[in-house]
Amino acid sequence: GAVVSQHPSWVICKSGTSVKIECRSLDFQATTMFWYRQFPKQSLMLMATSNEGSKATYEQGVEKDKFLINHASLTLSTLTVTSAHPEDSSFYICSARDSEQIQETQYFGPGTRLLVL
Amino acid sequence: TQLLEQSPQFLSIQEGENLTVYCNSSSVFSSLQWYRQEPGEGPVLLVTVVTGGEVKKLKRLTFQFGDARKDSSLHITAAQPGDTGLYLCAGVSTNAGKSTFGDGTTLTVKP
């Protein structure tokens, strides 16, 4: 149980294009999902908290117009990197919390590797 | 802002050795998770500890949550090359919401 998927697993795009990454909880409902960015050999950097049916909460320094988050259902959150530039190249990981669990454990997706040329 | 200090940052040992990774904070957490991550993949949950003083075992891995729920440790006995990876601890604040992640411990176990 508690499986989270991400799609795509990797993407290469040209500078200036937009890229959408999907995060799905496959066997549980998640009112809260999180989006992280990770640089090589470093820990996770929280970008935003995605709440089903409401606006995402962004961390300080993360541009909400640059990283659009939509959490339209209890099993799906999407992150759109708009007008991507090479500095946006990174490993993006989402996580989800099981709404029915008392423990607030996060279950992570496999990550999406983004390379902007 | 809650901080979670994880140590050591890097650890390289020989197969068969024991090791301990620590996570320390001045803040109290309602729960704490340990994850293991391999390159190019997402973190995989190892354990969640909730009760102060709680000890959980997962084969050769022993996890302990401090009595005050401010710190935790991960002990690996007789490490194997398959244990190589990035180990992350994450504490959930008592007033719910976000998790605070440690900076991670990169473990390399040499055969």
Side-chain angles (χ1 to χ4, degrees):
Chain A
V3 178
V4 176
S5 70
Q6 267 183 255
H7 179 79
S9 56
W10 60 269
V11 58
I12 301 174
C13 69
K14 293 182 179 180
S15 185
T17 60
S18 294
V19 176
K20 179 185 283 188
I21 303 170
E22 293 186 349
C23 178
R24 295 182 184 271
S25 56
L26 298 185
D27 51 0
F28 64 97
Q29 293 184 332
T31 54
T32 305
M33 291 185 174
F34 302 88
W35 287 96
Y36 294 86
R37 187 172 177 175
Q38 187 177 34
F39 295 100
K41 296 188 177 181
Q42 293 188 21
S43 188
L44 306 173
M45 183 184 77
L46 180 64
M47 298 174 65
T49 301
S50 172
N51 302 296
E52 187 269 335
S54 64
K55 292 183 179 180
T57 304
Y58 290 83
E59 294 301 296
Q60 191 173 9
V62 178
E63 299 176 56
K64 62 179 181 180
D65 295 329
K66 171 77 172 176
F67 299 98
L68 300 178
I69 292 173
N70 184 276
H71 193 157
S73 79
L74 288 173
T75 59
L76 173 64
S77 175
T78 60
L79 169 68
T80 301
V81 183
T82 62
S83 187
H85 288 96
E87 57 265 29
D88 298 324
S89 298
S90 190
F91 192 50
Y92 293 87
I93 310 175
C94 72
S95 71
R97 277 187 181 152
D98 188 336
S99 304
E100 297 187 0
Q101 278 190 1
I102 297 176
Q103 298 174 359
E104 294 163 316
T105 300
Q106 291 183 37
Y107 299 95
F108 285 87
T112 297
R113 175 77 59 191
L114 171 63
L115 177 61
V116 184
L117 303 177
Chain B
T1 303
Q2 292 183 310
L3 295 176
L4 195 53
E5 296 183 353
Q6 191 171 340
S7 63
Q9 187 176 1
F10 297 98
L11 192 55
S12 180
I13 60 174
Q14 292 295 134
E15 182 177 2
E17 295 183 359
N18 303 330
L19 66 113
T20 302
V21 179
Y22 300 92
C23 272
N24 296 291
S25 176
S26 58
S27 303
V28 177
F29 297 108
S30 60
S31 67
L32 189 142
Q33 289 78 42
W34 284 92
Y35 297 88
R36 176 171 166 268
Q37 183 182 22
E38 296 196 32
E41 300 180 8
V44 175
L45 177 69
L46 296 174
V47 76
T48 294
V49 286
V50 179
T51 307
E54 182 177 6
V55 177
K56 282 191 173 180
K57 292 190 176 183
L58 183 65
K59 295 184 180 179
R60 294 177 291 101
L61 278 61
T62 302
F63 306 87
Q64 186 165 6
F65 202 13
D67 291 340
R69 290 184 290 136
K70 295 182 179 180
D71 54 86
S72 183
S73 64
L74 157 61
H75 183 79
I76 301 179
T77 304
Q80 299 177 0
D83 296 326
T84 294
L86 176 66
Y87 289 82
L88 295 162
C89 60
V92 181
S93 62
T94 52
N95 60 350
K98 299 174 291 189
S99 293
T100 300
F101 279 83
D103 288 336
T105 296
T106 299
L107 171 65
T108 303
V109 182
K110 300 176 183 178

mmCIF file of all heavy atoms in Angstrom, chain A residues 74-97:
data_model
loop_
_atom_site.group_PDB
_atom_site.id
_atom_site.type_symbol
_atom_site.label_atom_id
_atom_site.label_comp_id
_atom_site.label_asym_id
_atom_site.label_seq_id
_atom_site.Cartn_x
_atom_site.Cartn_y
_atom_site.Cartn_z
ATOM 1 N N LEU A 74 -8.457 14.135 -4.964
ATOM 2 C CA LEU A 74 -7.805 13.557 -3.783
ATOM 3 C C LEU A 74 -6.666 12.610 -4.135
ATOM 4 O O LEU A 74 -5.994 12.089 -3.250
ATOM 5 C CB LEU A 74 -8.835 12.814 -2.924
ATOM 6 C CG LEU A 74 -9.814 13.719 -2.176
ATOM 7 C CD1 LEU A 74 -10.899 12.891 -1.504
ATOM 8 C CD2 LEU A 74 -9.081 14.553 -1.137
ATOM 9 N N THR A 75 -6.447 12.371 -5.423
ATOM 10 C CA THR A 75 -5.377 11.460 -5.814
ATOM 11 C C THR A 75 -4.409 12.058 -6.818
ATOM 12 O O THR A 75 -3.496 11.372 -7.281
ATOM 13 C CB THR A 75 -5.956 10.161 -6.408
ATOM 14 O OG1 THR A 75 -6.758 10.502 -7.554
ATOM 15 C CG2 THR A 75 -6.812 9.416 -5.395
ATOM 16 N N LEU A 76 -4.586 13.323 -7.169
ATOM 17 C CA LEU A 76 -3.735 13.896 -8.212
ATOM 18 C C LEU A 76 -3.348 15.331 -7.908
ATOM 19 O O LEU A 76 -4.189 16.180 -7.614
ATOM 20 C CB LEU A 76 -4.455 13.850 -9.561
ATOM 21 C CG LEU A 76 -3.765 14.569 -10.731
ATOM 22 C CD1 LEU A 76 -2.425 13.907 -11.054
ATOM 23 C CD2 LEU A 76 -4.668 14.596 -11.952
ATOM 24 N N SER A 77 -2.045 15.587 -7.976
ATOM 25 C CA SER A 77 -1.530 16.945 -7.927
ATOM 26 C C SER A 77 -0.579 17.112 -9.104
ATOM 27 O O SER A 77 0.125 16.174 -9.481
ATOM 28 C CB SER A 77 -0.771 17.203 -6.612
ATOM 29 O OG SER A 77 -0.177 18.492 -6.610
ATOM 30 N N THR A 78 -0.587 18.283 -9.709
ATOM 31 C CA THR A 78 0.315 18.537 -10.823
ATOM 32 C C THR A 78 1.174 19.766 -10.544
ATOM 33 O O THR A 78 0.727 20.726 -9.900
ATOM 34 C CB THR A 78 -0.447 18.768 -12.137
ATOM 35 O OG1 THR A 78 -1.306 19.909 -11.992
ATOM 36 C CG2 THR A 78 -1.267 17.547 -12.504
ATOM 37 N N LEU A 79 2.398 19.697 -11.016
ATOM 38 C CA LEU A 79 3.344 20.808 -10.936
ATOM 39 C C LEU A 79 3.715 21.181 -12.357
ATOM 40 O O LEU A 79 4.185 20.331 -13.117
ATOM 41 C CB LEU A 79 4.599 20.407 -10.154
ATOM 42 C CG LEU A 79 5.785 21.370 -10.218
ATOM 43 C CD1 LEU A 79 5.475 22.673 -9.498
ATOM 44 C CD2 LEU A 79 7.040 20.732 -9.619
ATOM 45 N N THR A 80 3.475 22.421 -12.714
ATOM 46 C CA THR A 80 3.852 22.901 -14.037
ATOM 47 C C THR A 80 4.972 23.913 -13.905
ATOM 48 O O THR A 80 4.797 24.943 -13.232
ATOM 49 C CB THR A 80 2.654 23.540 -14.765
ATOM 50 O OG1 THR A 80 1.607 22.572 -14.896
ATOM 51 C CG2 THR A 80 3.059 24.021 -16.152
ATOM 52 N N VAL A 81 6.090 23.615 -14.524
ATOM 53 C CA VAL A 81 7.215 24.545 -14.553
ATOM 54 C C VAL A 81 7.029 25.386 -15.803
ATOM 55 O O VAL A 81 7.131 24.881 -16.931
ATOM 56 C CB VAL A 81 8.557 23.802 -14.596
ATOM 57 C CG1 VAL A 81 9.712 24.794 -14.559
ATOM 58 C CG2 VAL A 81 8.655 22.810 -13.440
ATOM 59 N N THR A 82 6.700 26.648 -15.625
ATOM 60 C CA THR A 82 6.404 27.505 -16.767
ATOM 61 C C THR A 82 7.657 28.197 -17.259
ATOM 62 O O THR A 82 8.535 28.565 -16.471
ATOM 63 C CB THR A 82 5.353 28.562 -16.395
ATOM 64 O OG1 THR A 82 5.890 29.390 -15.348
ATOM 65 C CG2 THR A 82 4.069 27.908 -15.904
ATOM 66 N N SER A 83 7.738 28.360 -18.581
ATOM 67 C CA SER A 83 8.880 29.019 -19.203
ATOM 68 C C SER A 83 10.189 28.533 -18.578
ATOM 69 O O SER A 83 10.948 29.309 -17.981
ATOM 70 C CB SER A 83 8.752 30.535 -19.059
ATOM 71 O OG SER A 83 9.756 31.200 -19.796
ATOM 72 N N ALA A 84 10.403 27.251 -18.709
ATOM 73 C CA ALA A 84 11.555 26.628 -18.051
ATOM 74 C C ALA A 84 12.873 27.153 -18.600
ATOM 75 O O ALA A 84 12.997 27.449 -19.801
ATOM 76 C CB ALA A 84 11.469 25.116 -18.214
ATOM 77 N N HIS A 85 13.846 27.277 -17.718
ATOM 78 C CA HIS A 85 15.192 27.692 -18.085
ATOM 79 C C HIS A 85 16.191 26.680 -17.541
ATOM 80 O O HIS A 85 15.851 25.885 -16.659
ATOM 81 C CB HIS A 85 15.475 29.094 -17.545
ATOM 82 C CG HIS A 85 14.729 30.167 -18.260
ATOM 83 N ND1 HIS A 85 13.527 30.667 -17.798
ATOM 84 C CD2 HIS A 85 14.996 30.822 -19.422
ATOM 85 C CE1 HIS A 85 13.095 31.581 -18.642
ATOM 86 N NE2 HIS A 85 13.968 31.700 -19.636
ATOM 87 N N PRO A 86 17.407 26.682 -18.064
ATOM 88 C CA PRO A 86 18.390 25.682 -17.618
ATOM 89 C C PRO A 86 18.561 25.600 -16.099
ATOM 90 O O PRO A 86 18.785 24.507 -15.572
ATOM 91 C CB PRO A 86 19.674 26.151 -18.304
ATOM 92 C CG PRO A 86 19.195 26.771 -19.577
ATOM 93 C CD PRO A 86 17.915 27.488 -19.204
ATOM 94 N N GLU A 87 18.395 26.713 -15.409
ATOM 95 C CA GLU A 87 18.568 26.678 -13.949
ATOM 96 C C GLU A 87 17.424 25.944 -13.245
ATOM 97 O O GLU A 87 17.516 25.651 -12.043
ATOM 98 C CB GLU A 87 18.687 28.098 -13.381
ATOM 99 C CG GLU A 87 17.518 29.005 -13.691
ATOM 100 C CD GLU A 87 17.769 29.853 -14.921
ATOM 101 O OE1 GLU A 87 18.511 29.407 -15.824
ATOM 102 O OE2 GLU A 87 17.201 30.972 -14.982
ATOM 103 N N ASP A 88 16.368 25.634 -13.991
ATOM 104 C CA ASP A 88 15.265 24.851 -13.425
ATOM 105 C C ASP A 88 15.540 23.357 -13.501
ATOM 106 O O ASP A 88 14.782 22.547 -12.950
ATOM 107 C CB ASP A 88 13.953 25.154 -14.158
ATOM 108 C CG ASP A 88 13.528 26.610 -14.024
ATOM 109 O OD1 ASP A 88 13.754 27.191 -12.939
ATOM 110 O OD2 ASP A 88 13.002 27.176 -15.006
ATOM 111 N N SER A 89 16.598 23.000 -14.195
ATOM 112 C CA SER A 89 16.966 21.585 -14.288
ATOM 113 C C SER A 89 17.236 21.038 -12.890
ATOM 114 O O SER A 89 18.008 21.621 -12.130
ATOM 115 C CB SER A 89 18.209 21.425 -15.153
ATOM 116 O OG SER A 89 17.977 21.875 -16.475
ATOM 117 N N SER A 90 16.574 19.938 -12.586
ATOM 118 C CA SER A 90 16.707 19.388 -11.237
ATOM 119 C C SER A 90 15.933 18.083 -11.143
ATOM 120 O O SER A 90 15.343 17.619 -12.118
ATOM 121 C CB SER A 90 16.160 20.395 -10.217
ATOM 122 O OG SER A 90 16.470 20.007 -8.890
ATOM 123 N N PHE A 91 15.935 17.503 -9.959
ATOM 124 C CA PHE A 91 15.163 16.317 -9.652
ATOM 125 C C PHE A 91 13.978 16.772 -8.801
ATOM 126 O O PHE A 91 14.163 17.330 -7.721
ATOM 127 C CB PHE A 91 16.039 15.317 -8.888
ATOM 128 C CG PHE A 91 15.463 13.943 -8.749
ATOM 129 C CD1 PHE A 91 14.975 13.255 -9.848
ATOM 130 C CD2 PHE A 91 15.435 13.307 -7.513
ATOM 131 C CE1 PHE A 91 14.460 11.967 -9.720
ATOM 132 C CE2 PHE A 91 14.918 12.026 -7.383
ATOM 133 C CZ PHE A 91 14.424 11.356 -8.488
ATOM 134 N N TYR A 92 12.782 16.587 -9.312
ATOM 135 C CA TYR A 92 11.575 17.018 -8.611
ATOM 136 C C TYR A 92 10.865 15.790 -8.044
ATOM 137 O O TYR A 92 10.630 14.811 -8.759
ATOM 138 C CB TYR A 92 10.640 17.781 -9.558
ATOM 139 C CG TYR A 92 11.203 19.109 -10.003
ATOM 140 C CD1 TYR A 92 12.030 19.189 -11.126
ATOM 141 C CD2 TYR A 92 10.940 20.280 -9.301
ATOM 142 C CE1 TYR A 92 12.575 20.405 -11.526
ATOM 143 C CE2 TYR A 92 11.476 21.500 -9.692
ATOM 144 C CZ TYR A 92 12.291 21.545 -10.799
ATOM 145 O OH TYR A 92 12.825 22.752 -11.193
ATOM 146 N N ILE A 93 10.539 15.852 -6.770
ATOM 147 C CA ILE A 93 9.902 14.717 -6.103
ATOM 148 C C ILE A 93 8.628 15.192 -5.409
ATOM 149 O O ILE A 93 8.617 16.253 -4.781
ATOM 150 C CB ILE A 93 10.826 14.097 -5.035
ATOM 151 C CG1 ILE A 93 12.219 13.822 -5.597
ATOM 152 C CG2 ILE A 93 10.229 12.804 -4.482
ATOM 153 C CD1 ILE A 93 13.196 13.318 -4.556
ATOM 154 N N CYS A 94 7.593 14.394 -5.532
ATOM 155 C CA CYS A 94 6.369 14.713 -4.807
ATOM 156 C C CYS A 94 6.164 13.697 -3.691
ATOM 157 O O CYS A 94 6.746 12.608 -3.699
ATOM 158 C CB CYS A 94 5.160 14.703 -5.731
ATOM 159 S SG CYS A 94 4.659 13.061 -6.265
ATOM 160 N N SER A 95 5.369 14.070 -2.731
ATOM 161 C CA SER A 95 4.989 13.134 -1.674
ATOM 162 C C SER A 95 3.528 13.361 -1.335
ATOM 163 O O SER A 95 2.955 14.411 -1.657
ATOM 164 C CB SER A 95 5.860 13.319 -0.424
ATOM 165 O OG SER A 95 5.543 14.542 0.225
ATOM 166 N N ALA A 96 2.925 12.381 -0.705
ATOM 167 C CA ALA A 96 1.511 12.472 -0.346
ATOM 168 C C ALA A 96 1.293 11.908 1.044
ATOM 169 O O ALA A 96 1.991 10.967 1.461
ATOM 170 C CB ALA A 96 0.666 11.711 -1.362
ATOM 171 N N ARG A 97 0.335 12.484 1.741
ATOM 172 C CA ARG A 97 -0.055 11.974 3.053
ATOM 173 C C ARG A 97 -1.388 11.263 2.921
ATOM 174 O O ARG A 97 -2.309 11.778 2.298
ATOM 175 C CB ARG A 97 -0.192 13.119 4.061
ATOM 176 C CG ARG A 97 1.095 13.556 4.678
ATOM 177 C CD ARG A 97 0.841 14.557 5.787
ATOM 178 N NE ARG A 97 2.093 14.995 6.367
ATOM 179 C CZ ARG A 97 2.287 16.167 6.940
ATOM 180 N NH1 ARG A 97 1.276 17.028 7.010
ATOM 181 N NH2 ARG A 97 3.447 16.476 7.449
#
